[in-house]
Amino acid sequence: MNIEDLQTFVAVADAGGISAAARRLGVSKSIVSRRLFRVEAELGVQLLVRTTRGGALTEAGITFRDHAARASAEIDAARETILPTGELRGRLRVAMPLSFGPTHFAPVLAKMAQHHPQLHIHTSYSDRFVDLIAEGFDCAIRVGYLQDSNLIAKRVGPIYGRLVASPDYIKAHGSPETVEQLASHQALMQGTEAWQFMDGDKVVTVQPQGRFKADNALALAAAAAAGLGIAWLPDCITHEYVVSGALVPVMTRYPPPSAGAYVVRPPGQHPARKVRILIEMLIQYFAQNSDIWGLDRQNTNRSEPY
């Protein structure tokens, strides 16, 4: 049985249909259909019931999917062991945040593509919370404070943030000096998130309130610069605003605990070598760009999540 056909069946099973699998694999629906037909012909059973909404696995398809996935993973691992040292090939599908990805992480992927000409890199940029398993991603880069999940995470670097506001906002509304005073200010938020601050060794959590919300950190930085309120944002988003004077740090006596940048992947025994190399490159990138990420700030209240 052709390994590419087998991997295509796994993609169809996980994506929920031929069209979704074709988008995930970057090939036409007709190619996916032919590969799936060959697998079914080889086995002599129907694996997928085609429907107007995609497809549903038959009982045989459900049983065969796990075996096919394990076989595909073993073949990929075997290929890695016989490739020339350092060479990568195949496909790497990565989900990245839109707020950071194009400006801060895309150069790392471009460098990876330059060093590994046989590797196909497909990147999706979005600030939504993608489902790695259901959507077929090898890994994702996530920034902030990780929520509990069954995913495996590797921290590649710390990210430091601060509260910022425009000089015009501070002139009109004043600058909060304590956590309690935040309640009287307009907060610029992604949703209904809580903000955390360090009061000595103690973490203080508050529920900010505000009328302007956006699911993108760049949009929140622009809103803060326009004088709409106070925003909690990472240094890598605000550093140019702060340098130019468009934004100024506020409530500096109570710094937020440091967050982190993570590579997360679906659960499994060992990460693929292409994911391991991406992790190594990101760790190096953080170390070489400490001025952007805020590593040069002397903050004695740093908290290192992992």
Side-chain angles (χ1 to χ4, degrees):
M1 188 176 295
N2 185 288
I3 184 61
E4 196 170 50
D5 294 348
L6 202 62
Q7 292 171 332
T8 298
F9 163 68
V10 174
V12 171
D14 292 346
I18 291 174
S19 297
R23 289 192 297 269
R24 180 180 296 185
L25 296 172
V27 299
S28 68
K29 290 190 292 184
S30 60
I31 290 177
V32 173
S33 295
R34 285 197 299 270
R35 291 175 180 173
L36 180 60
F37 176 79
R38 287 196 294 263
V39 175
E40 290 179 325
E42 178 73 22
L43 295 172
V45 296
Q46 185 178 10
L47 300 174
L48 185 78
V49 176
R50 281 72 165 174
T51 67
T52 56
R53 302 187 64 180
L57 292 178
T58 64
E59 185 176 352
I62 294 172
T63 301
F64 186 64
R65 185 269 168 205
D66 291 339
H67 293 284
R70 286 196 296 270
S72 297
E74 288 293 332
I75 291 295
D76 286 340
R79 282 174 172 169
E80 283 189 354
T81 62
I82 62 175
L83 286 175
T85 303
E87 183 179 343
L88 294 177
R89 65 177 61 188
R91 182 172 60 94
L92 175 65
R93 195 159 185 260
V94 187
M96 286 197 181
L98 181 61
S99 297
F100 303 86
T103 53
H104 295 87
F105 297 135
V108 178
L109 287 180
K111 185 177 181 181
M112 189 175 186
Q114 288 177 332
H115 290 175
H116 303 281
Q118 300 300 317
L119 181 66
H120 295 252
I121 300 177
H122 298 179
T123 312
S124 175
Y125 294 95
S126 173
D127 284 331
R128 70 181 180 86
F129 197 80
V130 300
D131 187 327
L132 299 187
I133 299 174
E135 300 181 47
F137 286 99
D138 296 295
C139 64
I141 295 177
R142 291 182 179 164
V143 175
Y145 304 99
L146 284 189
Q147 299 176 352
D148 291 336
S149 73
N150 65 338
L151 300 176
I152 297 175
K154 173 64 177 179
R155 191 170 182 269
V156 295
I159 290 181
Y160 300 101
R162 64 184 95 192
L163 287 183
V164 292
S166 71
D168 288 342
Y169 178 88
I170 294 173
K171 183 178 179 181
H173 304 282
S175 177
E177 298 295 334
T178 66
V179 173
E180 292 75 19
Q181 291 177 4
L182 275 179
S184 62
H185 286 269
Q186 284 289 322
L188 308 175
M189 302 177 292
Q190 292 194 20
T192 58
E193 70 270 18
W195 286 355
Q196 292 185 331
F197 302 95
M198 299 302 300
D199 183 3
D201 294 329
K202 183 175 66 173
V203 177
V204 180
T205 302
V206 299
Q207 296 287 340
Q209 301 296 321
R211 64 183 180 88
F212 188 93
K213 297 181 180 181
D215 64 356
N216 181 276
L218 296 174
L220 293 176
L228 295 182
I230 297 175
W232 184 105
L233 291 168
D235 289 355
C236 55
I237 296 294
T238 64
H239 75 284
E240 291 185 359
Y241 287 96
V242 173
V243 170
S244 69
L247 292 174
V248 295
V250 298
M251 215 175 77
T252 55
R253 289 177 51 200
Y254 301 91
S258 69
Y262 302 83
V263 174
V264 297
R265 62 179 177 86
Q269 289 188 345
H270 302 288
R273 190 158 66 93
K274 56 193 174 185
V275 175
R276 296 199 305 270
I277 289 179
L278 175 60
I279 289 172
E280 292 169 1
M281 293 181 69
L282 285 168
I283 291 174
Q284 183 181 33
Y285 175 69
F286 267 81
Q288 293 175 344
N289 293 274
S290 60
D291 56 328
I292 294 177
W293 299 104
L295 303 181
D296 57 330
R297 287 199 288 139
Q298 296 301 314
N299 184 347
T300 57
N301 292 314
R302 290 177 178 173
S303 174
E304 303 287 344
Y306 57 91

